[in-house]
Amino acid sequence: MADKTILLVDDAAFMRMMLKDILTKNGYDVVGEAENGVRAIEKFKELKPDLVILDITMPELDGIKAAKAIKAEDASALIIMCSAMGQQAMVIESIQAGARDFIVKPFQPDRVLEAVKKVIG
């Protein structure tokens, strides 16, 4: 089975590093990283990853808008949103924007992996 490819998007390099660590240790291939929504869309078009893990709160273009743009580019794109705030409204908005799941910071490896497995196997 080929490794599943993942694009990580978070304005905090530390958060991307934590996620990358969790994912690569478990056999996923992190093919790209982006620090804002604008770069996320560019990287998505360039890399065509199996999954995008998108932070909600980012400069230039937030995760919700980026998710909508990615879904507009490719309706079958798989997205998991993450946020530090456990706000119900954000979760609902994320799902409406096309996200398949939602993970909350600080990241718990088990929860991250459960979400990723659920969405891309």
Side-chain angles (χ1 to χ4, degrees), residues 55-112:
D55 185 31
I56 285 184
T57 316
M58 291 184 295
E60 290 190 54
L61 190 69
D62 70 46
I64 305 253
K65 291 190 181 93
K68 286 177 179 162
I70 287 169
K71 291 297 276 189
E73 176 71 25
D74 178 356
S76 66
L78 298 174
I79 299 168
I80 293 176
M81 302 300 284
C82 51
S83 170
M85 303 156 289
Q87 293 177 332
Q88 205 53 40
M90 285 291 193
V91 177
I92 292 164
E93 214 178 324
S94 298
I95 304 299
Q96 285 169 343
R100 292 294 187 86
D101 207 341
F102 193 90
I103 48 181
V104 179
K105 299 173 185 175
F107 298 121
Q108 291 168 329
D110 293 351
R111 176 68 191 105
V112 170

Side-chain angles (χ1 to χ4, degrees), residues 7-9 31-49 52 54 58 60-62 65-71 73-74:
L7 170 62
L8 299 181
V9 186
V31 288
E33 297 182 31
E35 66 287 343
N36 62 52
V38 175
R39 295 283 296 130
I41 297 159
E42 288 168 9
K43 288 271 190 185
F44 178 80
K45 290 177 184 175
E46 177 195 329
L47 300 165
K48 301 270 186 267
V52 183
L54 261 179
M58 291 184 295
E60 290 190 54
L61 190 69
D62 70 46
K65 291 190 181 93
K68 286 177 179 162
I70 287 169
K71 291 297 276 189
E73 176 71 25
D74 178 356

Side-chain angles (χ1 to χ4, degrees), residues 6 8 15 18-24 26 28 30 51 53 80-82 101-121:
I6 301 177
L8 299 181
M15 288 298 178
M18 278 176 58
L19 270 177
K20 188 174 186 171
D21 190 53
I22 294 167
L23 295 163
T24 50
N26 287 276
Y28 294 100
V30 175
L51 175 68
I53 299 182
I80 293 176
M81 302 300 284
C82 51
D101 207 341
F102 193 90
I103 48 181
V104 179
K105 299 173 185 175
F107 298 121
Q108 291 168 329
D110 293 351
R111 176 68 191 105
V112 170
L113 292 167
E114 176 196 322
V116 171
K117 282 193 183 93
K118 189 173 97 181
V119 177
I120 59 171

